[in-house]
């Protein structure tokens, strides 16, 4: 039996994880948490909001599936990594904000860090069994979101409802808006840098509208290994929860002859500047990725509230990044401070605009 703590149980990933856990008798839901919605009776240990490490202390799981959205997921990520408890990580924001600290905690703890993000799960599988020096570069794909092909002017008046209509993935509101701005791919770029110890200039993002190829690894001998599948998060969730067994899922096998389209092109960085801002923050390192994430969380919340036009999300983040301190990320306190500073700057930027 594998005792699972599911954090973010009421969300898009959380609900799909419950289906995966239900389908596998060897997976036992030991603990469940949410931010505000009730989770009573879902698991022997439950908690709504507050410090989720208290729940983890009580439940003592074998694996934590962190599917909380945003920086709020960070303490749980560090809790699992520090203790050598396997971590299935959907909460990319925690690795973006605290990549260095998280990897150091994992080294001390010795547990597994299993990516749940579909691109990173795919890359993890393409890389498995290959020595690091055989790897040339990594490619992660982006659907391009609902506004692919539009110009910046055409984005001026888009509404939250339009941004929430994602063409290939059905996800929570924050990540769906992040997909529309390409901030999600920026977060994933930073996440990939930490997960796979690759420098930024060896990680490429390409737009691939059908979301069939999730990632591709180029090797030094000229071979490239790609991971394909229908866009369904139950696949990477199941892979992470049952690793290394690769348990069965109800997803149909990929049917190439029925007309799968493999089309790729470069992202439009002028219309979607969040990807370049993320790459820049990642390359600067220290607390810059944490600040990028925090400013983005504030701007996305304001857009969803109808307080900020869609293109201004990138303006608010760019401005906050140009004003932050950008010091080193030595400990959790540095990050909590950098997160708060970037939030303040982003709020101030919106108040002035
Ligand atoms: N959805 C996807 O397909 C997908 C794919 C790849 C990666 N991810 C990543 O997975 C994470 C979750 O995404 P999602 O789409 O599932 O989001 P979502 O549908 O918005 O769900 C978020 C979950 O987090 C909980 N939560 C929010 N703030 C919390 C807090 N302070 N403490 C405890 N729990 C809190 C929410 O509880 P309440 O319901 O009570 O608010 C909810 O259960 C994100 O980091 C996202 O980037 C998602």
């Amino acid at each position: 039996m594998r005792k699972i703590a599911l954090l973010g149980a009421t969300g898009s990933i959380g609900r799909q994880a419950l289906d995966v856990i239900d389908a596998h008798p060897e997976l036992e839901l030991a603990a469940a948490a949410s931010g505000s919605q009730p989770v009573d009776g879902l698991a022997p240990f439950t908690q709504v909001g507050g410090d989720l490490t208290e729940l983890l202390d009580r439940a003592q799981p074998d694996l934590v599936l962190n599917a909380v959205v945003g920086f709020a997921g960070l303490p749980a990520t560090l809790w699992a990594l520090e203790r050598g408890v396997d971590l299935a990580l959907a909460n990319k924001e925690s690795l973006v904000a605290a990549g260095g600290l998280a990897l150091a905690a994992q080294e001390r703890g010795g547990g597994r860090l299993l990516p749940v993000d579909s691109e990173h799960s795919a890359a993890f599988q393409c890389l498995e069994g290959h020595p690091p020096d055989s790897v040339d570069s990594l490619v992660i794909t982006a659907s391009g979101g609902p506004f692919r092909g539009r110009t910046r002017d055409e984005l001026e008046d888009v509404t939250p409802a339009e941004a929430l209509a994602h063409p290939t993935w059905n996800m929570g509101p924050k990540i769906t808006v992040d997909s529309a701005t390409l901030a999600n791919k920026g977060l994933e770029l930073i996440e990939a840098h930490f997960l796979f110890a690759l420098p930024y200039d060896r990680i490429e993002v390409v737009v691939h509208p059908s979301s069939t190829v999730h990632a591709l690894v180029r090797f030094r001998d000229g071979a490239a290994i790609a991971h394909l599948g229908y866009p369904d998060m139950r696949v990477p969730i199941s892979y992470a929860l049952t690793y290394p067994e690769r348990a069965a899922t109800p997803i149909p096998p990929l049917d190439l002859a029925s007309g799968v389209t493999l089309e790729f092109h470069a992202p439009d960085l002028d219309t979607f500047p969040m990807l370049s801002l993320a790459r820049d923050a990642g390359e600067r390192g220290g607390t810059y990725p944490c600040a990028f994430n925090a400013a983005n969380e504030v701007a996305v919340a304001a857009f969803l509230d109808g307080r900020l036009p869609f293109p201004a999300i990138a303006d608010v983040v760019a401005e906050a990044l140009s004003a932050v301190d950008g010091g080193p990320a030595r400990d959790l306190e540095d990050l909590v401070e950098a997160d708060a500073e970037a939030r303040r700057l982003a709020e101030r930027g919106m108040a002035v605009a």
Side-chain angles (χ1 to χ4, degrees):
M1 289 299 277
R2 196 172 283 183
K3 278 169 56 182
I4 313 253
L6 175 56
L7 311 180
T10 50
S12 159
I13 292 286
R15 290 190 308 270
Q16 294 177 83
L18 288 173
D19 288 347
V20 170
I21 293 167
D22 271 354
H24 293 293
E26 72 279 15
L27 302 178
E28 177 192 333
L29 187 65
S34 68
S36 56
Q37 295 191 66
V39 282
D40 310 331
L42 201 56
F45 295 96
T46 57
Q47 189 173 315
V48 178
D51 178 357
L52 297 186
T53 65
E54 287 169 10
L55 174 74
L56 298 173
D57 279 335
R58 281 188 284 138
Q60 293 294 317
D62 302 317
L63 181 147
V64 175
L65 170 48
N66 189 351
V68 169
V69 62
F71 187 72
L74 179 55
T77 286
L78 294 177
W79 185 97
L81 293 174
E82 197 68 66
R83 283 160 186 75
V85 173
D86 288 350
L87 174 65
L89 186 66
N91 175 251
K92 63 190 86 185
E93 294 92 343
S94 56
L95 198 60
V96 167
L101 289 189
L103 295 183
Q106 187 197 11
E107 202 161 312
R108 287 190 294 273
R112 290 174 178 138
L113 174 44
L114 298 158
V116 171
D117 234 336
S118 57
E119 298 76 3
H120 304 74
S121 174
F124 179 89
Q125 294 172 56
C126 294
L127 286 163
E128 219 180 8
H130 298 284
D133 63 356
S134 70
V135 174
D136 171 68
S137 53
L138 168 66
V139 182
I140 54 176
T141 59
S143 71
F147 305 138
R148 179 175 55 86
R150 297 208 194 177
T151 63
R152 196 179 156 100
D153 281 351
E154 288 168 341
L155 295 179
E156 203 55 55
D157 299 320
V158 299
T159 63
E162 288 171 296
L164 290 175
H166 195 277
T168 50
W169 296 99
N170 186 5
M171 310 178 288
K174 191 256 177 185
I175 183 176
T176 307
V177 175
D178 284 349
S179 299
T181 61
L182 287 197
N184 183 48
K185 224 36 67 172
L187 294 169
E188 290 181 8
L189 172 72
I190 300 172
E191 185 186 8
H193 162 78
F194 286 117
L195 278 174
F196 307 120
L198 282 170
Y200 287 98
D201 60 3
R202 287 168 56 200
I203 310 173
E204 186 186 352
V205 173
V206 297
V207 173
H208 169 50
S210 73
S211 303
T212 307
V213 173
H214 305 303
L216 176 147
V217 176
R218 301 188 192 98
F219 292 91
R220 64 180 171 195
D221 61 358
I225 299 183
H227 178 289
L228 283 76
Y230 292 121
D232 191 316
M233 286 308 294
R234 288 173 298 175
V235 177
I237 293 170
S238 174
Y239 184 80
L241 294 188
T242 66
Y243 181 84
E245 283 154 34
R246 199 186 279 282
T249 74
I251 319 302
L254 186 65
D255 183 0
L256 292 174
S258 72
V260 170
T261 313
L262 299 186
E263 175 197 335
F264 304 91
H265 48 87
D268 174 355
L269 299 177
D270 293 330
T271 308
F272 302 100
M274 289 296 278
L275 182 52
S276 306
L277 288 169
R279 190 177 279 278
D280 189 49
E283 277 168 353
R284 285 177 180 220
T287 51
Y288 275 104
C290 176
F292 170 83
N293 176 66
N296 179 54
E297 285 190 30
V298 169
V300 169
F303 168 69
L304 284 170
D305 264 8
R307 289 186 286 124
L308 193 71
F310 182 84
I313 296 174
D315 299 337
V316 166
V317 173
E319 220 170 285
L321 281 174
S322 69
V324 293
D325 235 357
R330 293 160 303 200
D331 49 32
L332 190 54
E333 267 168 43
D334 283 346
L335 293 170
V336 170
E337 223 170 84
D339 175 82
E341 183 199 21
R343 281 172 201 270
R344 265 195 312 273
L345 287 164
E347 291 287 2
R348 207 174 62 196
M350 291 190 302
V352 171

